[in-house]
Amino acid sequence: MQFDLRKFIATGRQPYHAEFQCDLSAHDYAGARIPQPVTAVFEAETDGDEVRMTLRANASVHGECARCLDPVIREETVDTEWTVKERDLDDPDFDLPLDEKGHLDVDEWLNQEFMFQIPTVLLCSADCAGLCPVCGKKKAECTCQPAEHAEAPVDTRLAILKSLLN
Ligand SMILES: [Zn+2]
Ligand SMILES: [Zn+2]
């Protein structure tokens, strides 16, 4: 969705409200995806001097656990607010995706918000033990005995330490 922010700052008197569908499936969020279209709510209102914009959306994020590689699906919410003055539109460091005509790319803004929101490391659970380096199964399912995989006869002094660890 495009929003003519420059025009709204100049002439917008009534609050603006839009509910729209946004397809973010082409974007990659550190390996995670948002495969389903997202329903977002965008609102703008002005007091004659500055414009207050809000953007809200929920998305079902699909990724995989960084430790055990199981699929992970989690809900992420974007709920952000931004206040803009007319002079911001000509600021080269303005953070929102705006073209030279002053049109705001709301889809791209939403994409950027999900970039911030979605963790770069997803886990199936906070205490996921990951995979066994020997058999490749999940540690919770693997039956490997740590001692079976010792490559060389263990030095007796180390064996004492090892038995303490076990
Ligand atoms: Zn996991
Ligand atoms: Zn194992």
Side-chain angles (χ1 to χ4, degrees):
M1 193 190 91
Q2 298 280 323
F3 179 68
D4 191 342
L5 184 56
R6 190 178 288 282
K7 185 176 168 197
F8 189 80
I9 286 181
T11 63
R13 294 292 166 261
Q14 299 300 316
Y16 178 85
H17 173 101
E19 191 171 314
F20 65 105
Q21 294 275 314
C22 183
D23 181 2
L24 298 171
S25 62
H27 296 282
D28 185 313
Y29 302 94
R33 299 265 169 188
I34 300 178
Q36 312 288 343
V38 173
T39 301
V41 174
F42 170 77
E43 286 172 329
E45 61 182 349
T46 178
D47 62 4
D49 179 35
E50 54 185 31
V51 172
R52 196 171 66 91
M53 301 187 295
T54 57
L55 182 62
R56 296 193 303 274
N58 278 310
S60 175
V61 176
H62 294 229
E64 67 181 20
C65 174
R67 293 184 196 154
C68 73
L69 310 181
D70 263 6
V72 175
I73 299 178
R74 53 183 281 160
E75 293 296 315
E76 290 290 346
T77 301
V78 159
D79 189 346
T80 187
E81 186 181 305
W82 207 286
T83 303
V84 187
K85 288 180 188 293
E86 187 162 17
R87 65 165 184 270
D88 294 331
L89 301 184
D90 300 309
D91 179 350
D93 294 326
F94 189 56
D95 281 328
L96 294 182
L98 207 64
D99 70 12
E100 64 285 354
K101 292 189 193 126
H103 291 196
L104 177 67
D105 185 339
V106 185
D107 292 25
E108 177 56 24
W109 180 17
L110 190 58
N111 173 45
Q112 290 179 4
E113 293 296 332
F114 276 116
M115 290 270 185
F116 288 124
Q117 187 75 29
I118 297 171
T120 51
V121 174
L122 296 179
L123 295 176
C124 63
S125 68
D127 57 356
C128 172
L131 300 176
C132 168
V134 176
C135 68
K137 289 185 192 161
K138 282 192 222 171
K139 278 191 182 156
E141 294 165 8
C142 114
T143 52
C144 297
Q145 297 296 314
E148 282 177 26
H149 297 287
E151 301 209 334
V154 180
D155 182 289
T156 46
R157 287 162 299 175
L158 290 177
I160 293 167
L161 285 174
K162 204 156 192 278
S163 68
L164 292 175
L165 288 172
N166 290 342

